[in-house]
Amino acid sequence: MERCRSRRQGRRRLILFAALCLLVLFGLMAFQALAFSQTRVPRCTEKDIEEAKSLASSAKLKISIAKEVFSETHPEGTVVSQEPAGGSRVRKGSLVKVVVSKGPRPIKVEPVALEAGKDMSPETVSETTSTPEERPSTPVLSTPVAPPPSTDSTSTGTSVTTPPTAGGKVVCIDPGHQARANLGREPIGPGSSQTKEKCRGGATGVSSGTPEYKLTLEIGLKLRALLEKKGITVVMTRETNDVDISNIERAEIANEAGAHLFVRIHHNGSSNLSLGGACTLYPADGSWTAPIYASSRRAAQLIQRELVKSTGLKNNSIFARSDITGFNWSKVPAVLTEIGFLSNPEEDRLLNTGEFQDKAAQGLFNGIVEYLNET
Ligand SMILES: [Zn+2]
């Protein structure tokens, strides 16, 4: 009896042990199967779509372009966002949906006839005060463009200061910034309680260390030479770097000169060193600048087009701005060009060469002359 019971107990233990072993084995197999079927999603944002596709393929995932959007911050073909996020774990073969940039919104320059009195203000304009004097904020919608208005009135009938110098044309050139910034404040527009610095310090070449004010003057003087050769009268807001002229004072110089166009020269800067290209700003259709809105916009379109053509810089479009002191005090059509990024090593190098400065001045000149011929 005793021997028989112990043999039975031994057999039961063996069966139990075998069952336990099987359970552990199945558990291990299931865990392995799960682990091998999963993969980590690569970080695709800020990357080129082709690079994103290759990363996804290495992770055994598929990429699907969910949407293409205009972007001022992401170059064309760059991933703006993704779903699921980089770093998360998903099953192999899953789909990663990405939103890809189409680059900046394009500008249309072909004049299209509009009915008189029709609303010509499609822009939504940012009122942020933290934006630097020369930084773009809101892209312009690509809508048909109004024919250029005559010099004495816009299509809405608002009067524009008529330049006193009959016969010859007058251009006021404002080379941006000065050797010493003036951080005293002044109202951003006539009667405004909102203030901004009188003259901010500009950008600095990331490799060259060249200050923006030096380059804007060099290009400004080259532009003056081209315009004067064409018989156009030029008024400079400054001819040296050692000056102290606020943005209001710069606009008033253009007003007093009765300029047909007030051209402000700047160079951009960004913490993102890969950003590059040119953009042109013009006054928004606001209460201070409504009379110069349409003509300024037209000048911005022509100057931006010619500047990009002449320099080969990337076209970062034109922007309407309501927060720029030098625009809001101007009674004459005004534009502000951002010729390249001093934070971009290659554009910094180019801007420091006389050859590239000549191309920039020539581009500005071509656009200005085209604008003056239309007015
Ligand atoms: Zn500037």
Side-chain angles (χ1 to χ4, degrees):
M1 270 303 274
E2 276 304 307
R3 196 178 294 161
C4 194
R5 192 184 295 160
S6 74
R7 199 180 292 159
R8 215 180 294 148
Q9 271 183 345
R11 203 180 298 147
R12 206 178 292 154
R13 273 195 204 120
L14 199 73
I15 291 168
L16 255 167
F17 180 71
L20 209 72
C21 280
L22 269 171
L23 250 167
V24 169
L25 196 71
F26 276 128
L28 269 171
M29 277 167 69
F31 175 78
Q32 274 208 324
L34 196 73
F36 279 106
S37 72
Q38 289 221 323
T39 183
R40 200 177 285 278
V41 177
R43 188 172 173 272
C44 300
T45 49
E46 315 298 328
K47 297 211 163 68
D48 186 83
I49 182 66
E50 292 310 318
E51 194 189 343
K53 277 180 186 167
S54 133
L55 284 169
S57 158
S58 306
K60 303 275 182 281
L61 293 168
K62 288 177 209 146
I63 284 259
S64 146
I65 298 173
K67 209 162 73 174
E68 287 187 295
V69 295
F70 288 116
S71 170
E72 302 305 321
T73 49
H74 291 75
E76 191 181 342
T78 313
V79 176
V80 177
S81 62
Q82 69 177 93
E83 175 67 42
S88 48
R89 293 197 73 90
V90 294
R91 285 185 72 85
K92 281 180 185 167
S94 296
L95 209 59
V96 179
K97 289 183 183 169
V98 292
V99 174
V100 178
S101 168
K102 290 193 279 188
R105 199 175 285 279
I107 331 162
K108 285 197 175 171
V109 286
E110 298 79 16
V112 175
L114 281 182
E115 294 160 47
K118 198 167 173 180
D119 181 25
M120 298 193 308
S121 53
E123 291 84 5
T124 47
V125 178
S126 163
E127 283 291 347
T128 52
T129 49
S130 59
T131 332
E133 174 78 9
E134 67 279 11
R135 303 282 181 269
S137 60
T138 324
V140 169
L141 302 173
S142 62
T143 47
V145 165
S150 60
T151 39
D152 58 349
S153 73
T154 67
S155 61
T156 48
T158 327
S159 84
V160 172
T161 304
T162 309
T165 43
K169 300 271 168 135
V170 180
V171 170
C172 179
I173 301 174
D174 176 33
H177 308 282
Q178 56 201 24
R180 285 175 65 89
N182 183 342
L183 301 181
R185 303 191 70 91
E186 60 186 4
I188 67 157
S192 176
S193 58
Q194 195 182 336
T195 61
K196 264 170 97 169
E197 293 90 344
K198 289 183 173 178
C199 187
R200 285 179 183 170
T204 305
V206 65
S207 330
S208 67
T210 311
E212 183 181 344
Y213 65 79
K214 185 171 174 282
L215 298 171
T216 59
L217 182 58
E218 283 171 6
I219 293 174
L221 292 173
K222 284 173 189 274
L223 175 61
R224 173 171 75 174
L226 290 171
L227 290 167
E228 284 182 342
K229 220 162 76 184
K230 179 93 178 165
I232 295 164
T233 305
V234 176
V235 174
M236 303 289 293
T237 58
R238 66 181 182 94
E239 293 173 274
T240 62
N241 293 320
D242 191 21
V243 294
D244 184 12
I245 315 168
S246 80
N247 285 311
I248 292 181
E249 287 163 347
R250 289 168 195 246
E252 280 171 350
I253 291 170
N255 293 342
E256 279 158 30
H260 291 78
L261 190 60
F262 179 29
V263 180
R264 314 185 67 201
I265 301 171
H266 282 256
H267 305 291
N268 228 327
S270 169
S271 53
N272 180 350
L273 305 192
S274 67
L275 286 187
C279 71
T280 301
L281 316 181
Y282 62 97
D285 194 11
S287 54
W288 294 308
T289 50
I292 57 168
Y293 163 74
S295 43
S296 300
R297 183 187 158 117
R298 181 65 186 150
Q301 287 170 333
L302 295 169
I303 287 171
Q304 172 70 8
R305 191 186 70 191
E306 293 303 318
L307 181 65
V308 166
K309 204 193 285 176
S310 176
T311 58
L313 285 171
K314 184 166 158 272
N315 188 346
N316 287 342
S317 190
I318 62 171
F319 301 90
R321 290 285 292 266
S322 61
D323 60 327
I324 293 187
T325 311
F327 282 167
N328 295 338
W329 288 84
S330 180
K331 292 182 171 63
V332 298
V335 296
L336 188 157
T337 56
E338 295 275 9
I339 310 169
F341 280 73
L342 279 172
S343 46
N344 177 313
E346 174 58 12
E347 293 187 358
D348 174 27
R349 188 190 66 77
L350 284 171
L351 283 164
N352 277 279
T353 66
E355 193 193 348
F356 187 84
Q357 290 180 359
D358 286 336
K359 285 182 189 169
Q362 187 67 48
L364 295 176
F365 169 80
N366 293 347
I368 292 167
V369 168
E370 209 170 320
Y371 170 77
L372 294 177
N373 284 340
E374 283 187 0
T375 56

mmCIF file of all heavy atoms in Angstrom, residues 143-192:
data_model
loop_
_atom_site.group_PDB
_atom_site.id
_atom_site.type_symbol
_atom_site.label_atom_id
_atom_site.label_comp_id
_atom_site.label_asym_id
_atom_site.label_seq_id
_atom_site.Cartn_x
_atom_site.Cartn_y
_atom_site.Cartn_z
ATOM 1 N N THR A 143 -4.196 85.499 -53.901
ATOM 2 C CA THR A 143 -5.448 85.940 -54.501
ATOM 3 C C THR A 143 -5.123 86.821 -55.690
ATOM 4 O O THR A 143 -4.016 87.318 -55.797
ATOM 5 C CB THR A 143 -6.262 86.766 -53.501
ATOM 6 O OG1 THR A 143 -5.377 87.714 -52.905
ATOM 7 C CG2 THR A 143 -6.882 85.905 -52.435
ATOM 8 N N PRO A 144 -6.078 87.048 -56.574
ATOM 9 C CA PRO A 144 -5.806 87.927 -57.700
ATOM 10 C C PRO A 144 -5.369 89.304 -57.227
ATOM 11 O O PRO A 144 -5.774 89.768 -56.174
ATOM 12 C CB PRO A 144 -7.156 88.009 -58.408
ATOM 13 C CG PRO A 144 -7.872 86.785 -57.990
ATOM 14 C CD PRO A 144 -7.406 86.489 -56.594
ATOM 15 N N VAL A 145 -4.535 89.903 -58.023
ATOM 16 C CA VAL A 145 -3.914 91.163 -57.635
ATOM 17 C C VAL A 145 -4.592 92.323 -58.352
ATOM 18 O O VAL A 145 -4.944 92.224 -59.513
ATOM 19 C CB VAL A 145 -2.418 91.079 -58.000
ATOM 20 C CG1 VAL A 145 -1.773 92.440 -57.978
ATOM 21 C CG2 VAL A 145 -1.718 90.132 -57.048
ATOM 22 N N ALA A 146 -4.743 93.404 -57.628
ATOM 23 C CA ALA A 146 -5.385 94.580 -58.205
ATOM 24 C C ALA A 146 -4.451 95.269 -59.181
ATOM 25 O O ALA A 146 -3.246 95.183 -59.038
ATOM 26 C CB ALA A 146 -5.748 95.543 -57.096
ATOM 27 N N PRO A 147 -5.004 95.963 -60.171
ATOM 28 C CA PRO A 147 -4.136 96.739 -61.047
ATOM 29 C C PRO A 147 -3.498 97.858 -60.240
ATOM 30 O O PRO A 147 -4.062 98.292 -59.247
ATOM 31 C CB PRO A 147 -5.102 97.299 -62.093
ATOM 32 C CG PRO A 147 -6.443 97.259 -61.446
ATOM 33 C CD PRO A 147 -6.416 96.116 -60.483
ATOM 34 N N PRO A 148 -2.307 98.312 -60.639
ATOM 35 C CA PRO A 148 -1.652 99.349 -59.851
ATOM 36 C C PRO A 148 -2.486 100.624 -59.822
ATOM 37 O O PRO A 148 -3.022 101.027 -60.851
ATOM 38 C CB PRO A 148 -0.336 99.577 -60.595
ATOM 39 C CG PRO A 148 -0.567 99.044 -61.963
ATOM 40 C CD PRO A 148 -1.564 97.945 -61.820
ATOM 41 N N PRO A 149 -2.623 101.233 -58.648
ATOM 42 C CA PRO A 149 -3.405 102.463 -58.571
ATOM 43 C C PRO A 149 -2.609 103.646 -59.108
ATOM 44 O O PRO A 149 -1.396 103.590 -59.177
ATOM 45 C CB PRO A 149 -3.639 102.624 -57.073
ATOM 46 C CG PRO A 149 -2.462 101.949 -56.447
ATOM 47 C CD PRO A 149 -2.025 100.858 -57.380
ATOM 48 N N SER A 150 -3.312 104.705 -59.491
ATOM 49 C CA SER A 150 -2.613 105.905 -59.925
ATOM 50 C C SER A 150 -1.970 106.541 -58.705
ATOM 51 O O SER A 150 -2.309 106.219 -57.576
ATOM 52 C CB SER A 150 -3.603 106.870 -60.566
ATOM 53 O OG SER A 150 -4.589 107.216 -59.617
ATOM 54 N N THR A 151 -1.035 107.459 -58.912
ATOM 55 C CA THR A 151 -0.272 107.991 -57.788
ATOM 56 C C THR A 151 -1.106 108.848 -56.852
ATOM 57 O O THR A 151 -0.744 109.032 -55.711
ATOM 58 C CB THR A 151 0.916 108.838 -58.281
ATOM 59 O OG1 THR A 151 0.474 109.582 -59.401
ATOM 60 C CG2 THR A 151 2.105 107.980 -58.633
ATOM 61 N N ASP A 152 -2.223 109.392 -57.342
ATOM 62 C CA ASP A 152 -2.943 110.310 -56.464
ATOM 63 C C ASP A 152 -4.146 109.680 -55.773
ATOM 64 O O ASP A 152 -4.764 110.293 -54.934
ATOM 65 C CB ASP A 152 -3.357 111.574 -57.235
ATOM 66 C CG ASP A 152 -4.227 111.244 -58.426
ATOM 67 O OD1 ASP A 152 -4.334 110.043 -58.763
ATOM 68 O OD2 ASP A 152 -4.793 112.157 -59.010
ATOM 69 N N SER A 153 -4.510 108.464 -56.120
ATOM 70 C CA SER A 153 -5.624 107.850 -55.409
ATOM 71 C C SER A 153 -5.575 106.342 -55.520
ATOM 72 O O SER A 153 -5.017 105.794 -56.454
ATOM 73 C CB SER A 153 -6.948 108.348 -55.977
ATOM 74 O OG SER A 153 -7.151 107.745 -57.236
ATOM 75 N N THR A 154 -6.141 105.666 -54.542
ATOM 76 C CA THR A 154 -6.264 104.218 -54.620
ATOM 77 C C THR A 154 -7.650 103.921 -55.161
ATOM 78 O O THR A 154 -8.470 104.814 -55.331
ATOM 79 C CB THR A 154 -6.124 103.569 -53.231
ATOM 80 O OG1 THR A 154 -7.249 103.969 -52.464
ATOM 81 C CG2 THR A 154 -4.858 103.982 -52.529
ATOM 82 N N SER A 155 -7.925 102.641 -55.401
ATOM 83 C CA SER A 155 -9.223 102.286 -55.961
ATOM 84 C C SER A 155 -10.343 102.539 -54.964
ATOM 85 O O SER A 155 -11.495 102.558 -55.321
ATOM 86 C CB SER A 155 -9.220 100.822 -56.385
ATOM 87 O OG SER A 155 -8.979 100.028 -55.244
ATOM 88 N N THR A 156 -9.990 102.706 -53.685
ATOM 89 C CA THR A 156 -11.029 102.996 -52.699
ATOM 90 C C THR A 156 -11.229 104.506 -52.558
ATOM 91 O O THR A 156 -12.055 104.954 -51.788
ATOM 92 C CB THR A 156 -10.671 102.396 -51.327
ATOM 93 O OG1 THR A 156 -9.326 102.750 -51.023
ATOM 94 C CG2 THR A 156 -10.814 100.899 -51.313
ATOM 95 N N GLY A 157 -10.447 105.274 -53.295
ATOM 96 C CA GLY A 157 -10.662 106.714 -53.325
ATOM 97 C C GLY A 157 -9.927 107.480 -52.238
ATOM 98 O O GLY A 157 -10.064 108.686 -52.144
ATOM 99 N N THR A 158 -9.121 106.794 -51.423
ATOM 100 C CA THR A 158 -8.399 107.496 -50.363
ATOM 101 C C THR A 158 -7.207 108.227 -50.981
ATOM 102 O O THR A 158 -6.542 107.687 -51.844
ATOM 103 C CB THR A 158 -7.865 106.491 -49.329
ATOM 104 O OG1 THR A 158 -8.787 105.430 -49.246
ATOM 105 C CG2 THR A 158 -7.660 107.149 -47.998
ATOM 106 N N SER A 159 -6.939 109.426 -50.522
ATOM 107 C CA SER A 159 -5.872 110.185 -51.165
ATOM 108 C C SER A 159 -4.504 109.785 -50.640
ATOM 109 O O SER A 159 -4.345 109.395 -49.493
ATOM 110 C CB SER A 159 -6.100 111.683 -50.973
ATOM 111 O OG SER A 159 -5.581 112.070 -49.729
ATOM 112 N N VAL A 160 -3.532 109.838 -51.511
ATOM 113 C CA VAL A 160 -2.153 109.489 -51.184
ATOM 114 C C VAL A 160 -1.327 110.748 -51.400
ATOM 115 O O VAL A 160 -1.610 111.530 -52.300
ATOM 116 C CB VAL A 160 -1.652 108.356 -52.119
ATOM 117 C CG1 VAL A 160 -0.168 108.108 -51.933
ATOM 118 C CG2 VAL A 160 -2.441 107.089 -51.882
ATOM 119 N N THR A 161 -0.317 110.930 -50.560
ATOM 120 C CA THR A 161 0.553 112.093 -50.716
ATOM 121 C C THR A 161 1.151 112.115 -52.121
ATOM 122 O O THR A 161 1.770 111.144 -52.547
ATOM 123 C CB THR A 161 1.698 112.029 -49.691
ATOM 124 O OG1 THR A 161 1.109 111.930 -48.416
ATOM 125 C CG2 THR A 161 2.579 113.256 -49.763
ATOM 126 N N THR A 162 0.939 113.186 -52.822
ATOM 127 C CA THR A 162 1.486 113.292 -54.168
ATOM 128 C C THR A 162 2.891 113.878 -54.083
ATOM 129 O O THR A 162 3.084 114.931 -53.486
ATOM 130 C CB THR A 162 0.599 114.200 -55.033
ATOM 131 O OG1 THR A 162 -0.742 113.742 -54.901
ATOM 132 C CG2 THR A 162 1.004 114.148 -56.491
ATOM 133 N N PRO A 163 3.876 113.178 -54.635
ATOM 134 C CA PRO A 163 5.234 113.690 -54.546
ATOM 135 C C PRO A 163 5.344 115.074 -55.202
ATOM 136 O O PRO A 163 4.795 115.285 -56.278
ATOM 137 C CB PRO A 163 6.054 112.653 -55.313
ATOM 138 C CG PRO A 163 5.194 111.431 -55.332
ATOM 139 C CD PRO A 163 3.785 111.927 -55.358
ATOM 140 N N PRO A 164 6.039 116.022 -54.540
ATOM 141 C CA PRO A 164 6.130 117.374 -55.070
ATOM 142 C C PRO A 164 7.067 117.504 -56.263
ATOM 143 O O PRO A 164 6.950 118.426 -57.035
ATOM 144 C CB PRO A 164 6.660 118.183 -53.883
ATOM 145 C CG PRO A 164 7.398 117.189 -53.043
ATOM 146 C CD PRO A 164 6.754 115.862 -53.285
ATOM 147 N N THR A 165 8.003 116.562 -56.403
ATOM 148 C CA THR A 165 8.972 116.682 -57.488
ATOM 149 C C THR A 165 8.356 116.176 -58.784
ATOM 150 O O THR A 165 8.475 115.012 -59.114
ATOM 151 C CB THR A 165 10.238 115.869 -57.173
ATOM 152 O OG1 THR A 165 9.815 114.621 -56.639
ATOM 153 C CG2 THR A 165 11.142 116.579 -56.206
ATOM 154 N N ALA A 166 7.669 117.078 -59.473
ATOM 155 C CA ALA A 166 7.055 116.698 -60.741
ATOM 156 C C ALA A 166 8.148 116.382 -61.747
ATOM 157 O O ALA A 166 9.235 116.925 -61.692
ATOM 158 C CB ALA A 166 6.180 117.830 -61.241
ATOM 159 N N GLY A 167 7.863 115.503 -62.654
ATOM 160 C CA GLY A 167 8.847 115.131 -63.668
ATOM 161 C C GLY A 167 9.650 113.936 -63.224
ATOM 162 O O GLY A 167 9.282 112.812 -63.507
ATOM 163 N N GLY A 168 10.738 114.159 -62.492
ATOM 164 C CA GLY A 168 11.601 113.056 -62.066
ATOM 165 C C GLY A 168 10.983 112.256 -60.939
ATOM 166 O O GLY A 168 10.135 112.737 -60.201
ATOM 167 N N LYS A 169 11.405 111.003 -60.823
ATOM 168 C CA LYS A 169 10.913 110.155 -59.739
ATOM 169 C C LYS A 169 11.900 110.186 -58.579
ATOM 170 O O LYS A 169 13.097 110.367 -58.775
ATOM 171 C CB LYS A 169 10.749 108.716 -60.241
ATOM 172 C CG LYS A 169 9.773 108.582 -61.404
ATOM 173 C CD LYS A 169 8.357 108.354 -60.937
ATOM 174 C CE LYS A 169 7.373 108.521 -62.064
ATOM 175 N NZ LYS A 169 6.348 107.537 -62.175
ATOM 176 N N VAL A 170 11.340 110.022 -57.379
ATOM 177 C CA VAL A 170 12.165 110.046 -56.166
ATOM 178 C C VAL A 170 12.023 108.715 -55.429
ATOM 179 O O VAL A 170 10.911 108.230 -55.224
ATOM 180 C CB VAL A 170 11.725 111.195 -55.225
ATOM 181 C CG1 VAL A 170 12.585 111.218 -53.963
ATOM 182 C CG2 VAL A 170 11.780 112.531 -55.945
ATOM 183 N N VAL A 171 13.163 108.137 -55.057
ATOM 184 C CA VAL A 171 13.145 106.913 -54.251
ATOM 185 C C VAL A 171 13.909 107.188 -52.967
ATOM 186 O O VAL A 171 15.000 107.760 -53.000
ATOM 187 C CB VAL A 171 13.783 105.730 -55.020
ATOM 188 C CG1 VAL A 171 13.997 104.533 -54.101
ATOM 189 C CG2 VAL A 171 12.901 105.325 -56.203
ATOM 190 N N CYS A 172 13.310 106.820 -51.836
ATOM 191 C CA CYS A 172 14.011 106.947 -50.557
ATOM 192 C C CYS A 172 14.513 105.562 -50.154
ATOM 193 O O CYS A 172 13.735 104.608 -50.078
ATOM 194 C CB CYS A 172 13.083 107.509 -49.487
ATOM 195 S SG CYS A 172 13.887 107.655 -47.879
ATOM 196 N N ILE A 173 15.822 105.451 -49.942
ATOM 197 C CA ILE A 173 16.415 104.170 -49.526
ATOM 198 C C ILE A 173 16.746 104.242 -48.040
ATOM 199 O O ILE A 173 17.405 105.180 -47.589
ATOM 200 C CB ILE A 173 17.708 103.863 -50.324
ATOM 201 C CG1 ILE A 173 17.407 103.798 -51.832
ATOM 202 C CG2 ILE A 173 18.339 102.555 -49.851
ATOM 203 C CD1 ILE A 173 18.659 103.650 -52.690
ATOM 204 N N ASP A 174 16.275 103.231 -47.307
ATOM 205 C CA ASP A 174 16.561 103.165 -45.869
ATOM 206 C C ASP A 174 17.374 101.914 -45.555
ATOM 207 O O ASP A 174 16.822 100.823 -45.403
ATOM 208 C CB ASP A 174 15.239 103.140 -45.076
ATOM 209 C CG ASP A 174 15.482 102.965 -43.577
ATOM 210 O OD1 ASP A 174 16.517 103.467 -43.087
ATOM 211 O OD2 ASP A 174 14.634 102.333 -42.906
ATOM 212 N N PRO A 175 18.722 102.058 -45.452
ATOM 213 C CA PRO A 175 19.524 100.903 -45.048
ATOM 214 C C PRO A 175 19.224 100.603 -43.576
ATOM 215 O O PRO A 175 19.428 101.452 -42.707
ATOM 216 C CB PRO A 175 20.968 101.386 -45.240
ATOM 217 C CG PRO A 175 20.851 102.631 -46.096
ATOM 218 C CD PRO A 175 19.551 103.245 -45.718
ATOM 219 N N GLY A 176 18.724 99.403 -43.303
ATOM 220 C CA GLY A 176 18.233 99.053 -41.969
ATOM 221 C C GLY A 176 19.290 99.158 -40.876
ATOM 222 O O GLY A 176 20.468 98.929 -41.111
ATOM 223 N N HIS A 177 18.833 99.550 -39.688
ATOM 224 C CA HIS A 177 19.658 99.592 -38.464
ATOM 225 C C HIS A 177 20.762 100.653 -38.523
ATOM 226 O O HIS A 177 20.812 101.459 -39.450
ATOM 227 C CB HIS A 177 20.225 98.203 -38.135
ATOM 228 C CG HIS A 177 19.164 97.147 -38.091
ATOM 229 N ND1 HIS A 177 18.327 96.986 -37.016
ATOM 230 C CD2 HIS A 177 18.768 96.229 -39.020
ATOM 231 C CE1 HIS A 177 17.476 95.996 -37.277
ATOM 232 N NE2 HIS A 177 17.715 95.528 -38.481
ATOM 233 N N GLN A 178 21.635 100.607 -37.523
ATOM 234 C CA GLN A 178 22.739 101.567 -37.389
ATOM 235 C C GLN A 178 23.739 100.959 -36.415
ATOM 236 O O GLN A 178 23.436 99.960 -35.757
ATOM 237 C CB GLN A 178 22.194 102.909 -36.869
ATOM 238 C CG GLN A 178 21.426 102.777 -35.559
ATOM 239 C CD GLN A 178 20.479 103.937 -35.278
ATOM 240 O OE1 GLN A 178 20.039 104.632 -36.191
ATOM 241 N NE2 GLN A 178 20.155 104.142 -34.010
ATOM 242 N N ALA A 179 24.943 101.572 -36.342
ATOM 243 C CA ALA A 179 26.016 100.970 -35.533
ATOM 244 C C ALA A 179 25.591 100.741 -34.082
ATOM 245 O O ALA A 179 25.900 99.713 -33.496
ATOM 246 C CB ALA A 179 27.269 101.835 -35.601
ATOM 247 N N ARG A 180 24.880 101.719 -33.499
ATOM 248 C CA ARG A 180 24.428 101.550 -32.112
ATOM 249 C C ARG A 180 22.905 101.554 -32.076
ATOM 250 O O ARG A 180 22.280 102.526 -32.512
ATOM 251 C CB ARG A 180 24.964 102.690 -31.238
ATOM 252 C CG ARG A 180 26.454 102.546 -30.911
ATOM 253 C CD ARG A 180 26.936 103.775 -30.160
ATOM 254 N NE ARG A 180 26.287 103.885 -28.855
ATOM 255 C CZ ARG A 180 26.773 103.321 -27.743
ATOM 256 N NH1 ARG A 180 27.893 102.645 -27.783
ATOM 257 N NH2 ARG A 180 26.145 103.463 -26.599
ATOM 258 N N ALA A 181 22.317 100.463 -31.550
ATOM 259 C CA ALA A 181 20.860 100.388 -31.441
ATOM 260 C C ALA A 181 20.362 101.474 -30.487
ATOM 261 O O ALA A 181 21.085 101.875 -29.576
ATOM 262 C CB ALA A 181 20.455 99.018 -30.915
ATOM 263 N N ASN A 182 19.146 101.963 -30.722
ATOM 264 C CA ASN A 182 18.520 102.905 -29.792
ATOM 265 C C ASN A 182 17.271 102.229 -29.240
ATOM 266 O O ASN A 182 16.271 102.086 -29.944
ATOM 267 C CB ASN A 182 18.162 104.206 -30.518
ATOM 268 C CG ASN A 182 17.565 105.229 -29.564
ATOM 269 O OD1 ASN A 182 17.117 104.893 -28.466
ATOM 270 N ND2 ASN A 182 17.551 106.488 -29.992
ATOM 271 N N LEU A 183 17.352 101.771 -27.987
ATOM 272 C CA LEU A 183 16.246 101.004 -27.418
ATOM 273 C C LEU A 183 15.198 101.886 -26.729
ATOM 274 O O LEU A 183 14.275 101.385 -26.087
ATOM 275 C CB LEU A 183 16.774 99.927 -26.466
ATOM 276 C CG LEU A 183 17.732 98.926 -27.141
ATOM 277 C CD1 LEU A 183 18.210 97.866 -26.160
ATOM 278 C CD2 LEU A 183 17.093 98.249 -28.359
ATOM 279 N N GLY A 184 15.332 103.202 -26.899
ATOM 280 C CA GLY A 184 14.263 104.104 -26.462
ATOM 281 C C GLY A 184 13.008 103.752 -27.250
ATOM 282 O O GLY A 184 13.101 103.133 -28.304
ATOM 283 N N ARG A 185 11.821 104.148 -26.721
ATOM 284 C CA ARG A 185 10.605 103.687 -27.389
ATOM 285 C C ARG A 185 9.871 104.828 -28.084
ATOM 286 O O ARG A 185 10.020 105.992 -27.716
ATOM 287 C CB ARG A 185 9.705 102.975 -26.376
ATOM 288 C CG ARG A 185 10.445 101.810 -25.713
ATOM 289 C CD ARG A 185 9.566 100.919 -24.911
ATOM 290 N NE ARG A 185 8.644 100.111 -25.697
ATOM 291 C CZ ARG A 185 8.915 98.882 -26.145
ATOM 292 N NH1 ARG A 185 10.095 98.346 -25.941
ATOM 293 N NH2 ARG A 185 8.014 98.203 -26.807
ATOM 294 N N GLU A 186 9.087 104.457 -29.093
ATOM 295 C CA GLU A 186 8.285 105.427 -29.842
ATOM 296 C C GLU A 186 6.999 104.728 -30.272
ATOM 297 O O GLU A 186 6.970 103.504 -30.413
ATOM 298 C CB GLU A 186 9.066 105.947 -31.062
ATOM 299 C CG GLU A 186 9.457 104.858 -32.051
ATOM 300 C CD GLU A 186 10.353 105.343 -33.190
ATOM 301 O OE1 GLU A 186 10.752 106.514 -33.200
ATOM 302 O OE2 GLU A 186 10.646 104.527 -34.078
ATOM 303 N N PRO A 187 5.897 105.493 -30.459
ATOM 304 C CA PRO A 187 4.625 104.864 -30.843
ATOM 305 C C PRO A 187 4.725 104.200 -32.214
ATOM 306 O O PRO A 187 5.345 104.745 -33.126
ATOM 307 C CB PRO A 187 3.628 106.020 -30.857
ATOM 308 C CG PRO A 187 4.432 107.263 -30.813
ATOM 309 C CD PRO A 187 5.780 106.945 -30.263
ATOM 310 N N ILE A 188 4.096 103.021 -32.352
ATOM 311 C CA ILE A 188 4.213 102.279 -33.617
ATOM 312 C C ILE A 188 3.424 102.933 -34.754
ATOM 313 O O ILE A 188 3.625 102.599 -35.916
ATOM 314 C CB ILE A 188 3.790 100.797 -33.478
ATOM 315 C CG1 ILE A 188 2.294 100.677 -33.184
ATOM 316 C CG2 ILE A 188 4.612 100.076 -32.435
ATOM 317 C CD1 ILE A 188 1.732 99.315 -33.578
ATOM 318 N N GLY A 189 2.509 103.858 -34.395
ATOM 319 C CA GLY A 189 1.765 104.585 -35.421
ATOM 320 C C GLY A 189 1.293 105.899 -34.835
ATOM 321 O O GLY A 189 1.301 106.055 -33.603
ATOM 322 N N PRO A 190 0.865 106.852 -35.666
ATOM 323 C CA PRO A 190 0.393 108.139 -35.147
ATOM 324 C C PRO A 190 -0.741 107.948 -34.132
ATOM 325 O O PRO A 190 -1.722 107.277 -34.430
ATOM 326 C CB PRO A 190 -0.107 108.864 -36.406
ATOM 327 C CG PRO A 190 0.647 108.222 -37.536
ATOM 328 C CD PRO A 190 0.832 106.786 -37.135
ATOM 329 N N GLY A 191 -0.569 108.494 -32.923
ATOM 330 C CA GLY A 191 -1.603 108.426 -31.889
ATOM 331 C C GLY A 191 -1.679 107.091 -31.174
ATOM 332 O O GLY A 191 -2.572 106.875 -30.359
ATOM 333 N N SER A 192 -0.752 106.174 -31.436
ATOM 334 C CA SER A 192 -0.822 104.842 -30.828
ATOM 335 C C SER A 192 -0.235 104.835 -29.420
ATOM 336 O O SER A 192 0.749 105.514 -29.142
ATOM 337 C CB SER A 192 -0.062 103.836 -31.686
ATOM 338 O OG SER A 192 -0.055 102.573 -31.064
#
